[in-house]
Amino acid sequence: MLPTATMLDAKVPRYTSYPTAPHFHSGLGPETARQWISKLPAGKPVSLYLHIPFCDRLCWFCACHTKQTLRYEPVSAYLRVLQAEIATIGRLLDGHVPVGAIHLGGGSPTMLRPNDLIALGAYLRNALHVLPDADISIEIDPNDMDDQRLDALAEFGTTRASLGIQDFDPRVQEAINRLQSFEQTAYAVDGARARGINSVNLDLLYGLPHQTVESATATFRQALHLAPDRMALFGYAHVPWMKKHQTQIKDEWLPDGMERYAQSEAVRALALDAGYRAIGIDHFAMPGDTLTLASIQGRLRRNFQGYSADQCDAIIGLGPSAISQFAQGYLQNTPATGDYTRRIEDEGLATVRGVALSEDDRVRRWVIEKLMCDFRFSSDDAIRRFGALAGDVIMQAKHLAAMESDRLCEWRDHGFDVTPKGRPFVRLIAARFDTYFSAAPTRHSAAV
Ligand SMILES: C[S@@+](CC[C@H](N)C(=O)[O-])C[C@H]1O[C@@H](n2cnc3c(N)ncnc32)[C@H](O)[C@@H]1O
Ligand code: SF4
């Protein structure tokens, strides 16, 4: 069966959290953050996410929270404020809660001058108890890279590098205002590896303007020459009502739902053929990769950075717009850098919104994460974790499976399964368990 146009054009969340960010609300601030941090179990590692909201170029397709700047002064000023936030978190964790993973995202963290990146690393290790074997990952814009920056990545202690490619086709690159040669990308990958950074991820997109099955698969084949350990294949999220610069991309340049589906399926087939294992909805990893092992062993996690093998339950987000995740719920910093600066200077933290989880939210958060990671959840597992509270969601899953005429999901072996046919539409299936989504639909990107 081919997917219907309704399925392909449906707009649903990407479920990197539950409830999703549009359902966060005001009323949760630094007081809640201090309280939730104080409840973190001593000795159990947490993860940190540090947001760098700057880029030295602006790609028209980009949906990240970033600002283009050609001057470095705003970046230096920002780093001083970020240090103040790190210092606050350091005082709150008080050495009792170690840091097991640090992710530097953006924007483009590689915009930082080499000495600033090294100084940031030293500051983090001074203010916090960063474990010696902590996972340190960084998002890299290959166009930023030179020998000094590559050296700085190594000195920062980077263990994983994630590089943006998107597409190598010149026509596509021109339409998204992102010129990037294969040679410059290869230089960044090889340079990272030569400095001992052994885990390399590459980001690819489908559904971009002027992209075709041929151009998407040609890009994939080129990327394969770089022998990445992991690849992410995201569908381009066209959300011009949220990101004004995306209006530079004309609607008529975009492939339709059926073409997007064909592109993603073609690249997917090549990835599997090349020996990668599919991870969740949009990742591929080599057989021995930690992401693959986590996926096989049912330990794969999904958070704001996508899929992760990181087992830390709590993530503390620093920087404007950064989201923190706790057992109690989610908290988000103010998005505007000016407001963030004022709040950090006044209160040491910049939390302005979030959501505290109800008991029902906790069950559904687990179910949706399981579906997005494993395409399945077992009723025994749900009952073991949540007792009688799991009853509603199990009943709903059985009902959904019984009503499903296209066999996209089924109830089998005491569990709810998304069938191989249903996997490309797992976001649509997850949305059926999302009480907020059915109550108040908001605008999202295409499901496929
Ligand atoms: C912070 S960027 C990666 C690092 C670096 N800034 C770069 O561009 O190379 C994060 C990734 O998000 C993805 N991304 C950004 N905007 C997107 C959109 N509108 N739809 C889907 N993925 C998007 C891209 O694959 C991009 O590589
Ligand atoms: S894709 Fe990367 S480099 Fe381009 S604007 Fe977005 S964050 Fe910046």
Side-chain angles (χ1 to χ4, degrees):
M1 178 207 82
L2 277 174
T4 62
T6 323
M7 283 153 76
L8 292 171
D9 293 337
K11 309 279 193 254
V12 276
R14 302 188 54 76
Y15 291 113
T16 52
S17 73
Y18 180 78
T20 55
H23 300 287
F24 295 2
H25 52 78
S26 57
L28 292 96
E31 212 30 64
T32 313
R34 286 178 208 276
Q35 223 178 63
W36 289 0
I37 293 175
S38 75
K39 298 264 164 54
L40 289 169
K44 197 155 182 239
V46 294
S47 293
L48 291 191
Y49 171 76
L50 281 83
H51 192 69
I52 307 294
F54 299 103
C55 290
D56 40 19
R57 58 171 164 177
L58 185 60
C59 316
W60 300 147
F61 74 92
C62 185
C64 302
H65 181 72
T66 189
K67 193 171 179 208
Q68 185 186 24
T69 173
L70 299 176
R71 291 185 312 120
Y72 196 70
E73 165 48 29
V75 183
S76 304
Y78 170 66
L79 287 174
R80 288 193 288 275
V81 187
L82 184 63
Q83 283 192 355
E85 192 183 13
I86 294 169
T88 308
I89 299 297
R91 280 193 294 276
L92 293 172
L93 296 179
D94 193 25
H96 298 316
V97 180
V99 173
I102 298 175
H103 183 83
L104 212 55
S108 294
T110 41
M111 234 211 113
L112 300 192
R113 288 188 178 143
N115 282 343
D116 282 344
L117 182 64
I118 294 167
L120 179 62
Y123 195 87
L124 281 163
R125 288 183 172 85
N126 203 26
L128 302 153
H129 174 29
V130 180
L131 293 173
D133 61 349
D135 220 35
I136 315 272
S137 50
I138 303 195
E139 291 172 16
I140 292 176
D141 177 355
N143 271 19
D144 285 337
M145 300 317 286
D146 54 28
D147 284 357
Q148 290 72 33
R149 282 189 161 80
L150 285 164
D151 289 343
L153 284 185
E155 201 164 334
F156 187 69
T158 309
T159 56
R160 298 181 187 284
S162 178
L163 296 88
I165 289 182
Q166 327 314 341
D167 195 291
F168 282 126
D169 186 311
R171 188 161 178 235
V172 176
Q173 289 195 352
E174 197 185 323
I176 61 173
N177 195 36
R178 184 185 169 101
L179 303 185
Q180 180 176 321
S181 69
F182 175 79
E183 290 69 25
Q184 176 65 20
T185 313
Y187 162 78
V189 170
D190 295 345
R193 286 211 170 106
R195 288 162 179 81
I197 301 169
N198 288 322
S199 175
V200 170
N201 172 77
L202 301 178
D203 287 344
L204 303 178
L205 292 186
Y206 65 86
L208 286 172
H210 307 309
Q211 233 179 353
T212 60
V213 168
E214 289 70 32
S215 71
T217 51
T219 291
F220 178 84
R221 287 199 177 89
Q222 274 182 288
L224 214 49
H225 288 302
L226 304 171
D229 304 275
R230 301 175 180 179
M231 273 185 274
L233 175 67
F234 301 124
Y236 166 49
H238 190 55
V239 286
W241 58 90
M242 282 167 61
K243 295 284 169 189
K244 283 279 166 290
H245 54 256
Q246 287 190 349
T247 54
Q248 299 282 345
I249 297 175
K250 304 281 163 257
D251 284 354
E252 58 271 24
W253 299 348
L254 292 172
D256 64 13
M258 202 58 93
E259 174 63 24
R260 280 171 69 98
Y261 181 69
Q263 291 171 10
S264 78
E265 288 296 292
V267 174
R268 184 183 185 79
L270 287 183
L272 299 181
D273 235 33
Y276 287 85
R277 189 186 151 97
I279 309 290
I281 57 167
D282 51 19
H283 276 61
F284 298 94
M286 287 308 281
D289 193 274
T290 49
L291 212 50
T292 304
L293 300 179
S295 165
I296 292 170
Q297 294 162 1
R299 292 185 293 105
L300 188 65
R301 304 298 305 268
R302 184 156 173 84
N303 60 37
F304 288 99
Q305 284 87 61
Y307 288 104
S308 169
D310 177 2
Q311 298 302 307
C312 299
D313 281 329
I315 302 171
I316 301 180
L318 293 91
S321 81
I323 295 175
S324 300
Q325 176 177 327
F326 297 93
Q328 296 90 335
Y330 300 96
L331 296 174
Q332 185 171 24
N333 278 352
T334 184
T337 305
D339 189 39
Y340 165 79
T341 302
R342 274 189 298 280
R343 287 173 188 272
I344 295 294
E345 283 167 355
D346 291 350
E347 305 182 66
L349 291 172
T351 317
V352 290
R353 60 202 286 267
V355 61
L357 301 181
S358 68
E359 287 183 329
D360 184 59
D361 290 340
R362 273 175 232 270
V363 183
R364 289 175 190 276
R365 164 157 93 163
W366 178 81
V367 164
I368 288 177
E369 189 180 2
K370 278 279 160 207
L371 292 179
M372 298 299 292
C373 291
D374 306 340
F375 299 101
R376 170 184 171 80
F377 76 89
S378 106
S379 56
D380 296 347
D381 243 14
I383 292 165
R384 204 173 310 119
R385 281 169 179 270
F386 303 105
L389 287 172
D392 271 3
V393 101
I394 292 173
M395 240 167 55
Q396 193 190 346
K398 284 183 176 166
H399 180 71
L400 201 61
M403 300 297 291
E404 174 54 56
S405 54
D406 292 327
R407 293 190 52 80
L408 299 180
C409 55
E410 60 190 12
W411 186 267
R412 132 181 118 73
D413 301 334
H414 302 276
F416 179 80
D417 249 39
V418 178
T419 61
K421 207 168 81 179
R423 289 183 177 199
F425 312 104
V426 66
R427 288 165 61 193
L428 282 168
I429 295 168
R432 305 295 289 271
F433 292 95
D434 175 349
T435 47
Y436 298 82
F437 183 71
S438 38
T442 39
R443 295 177 89 177
H444 298 282
S445 59
V448 174

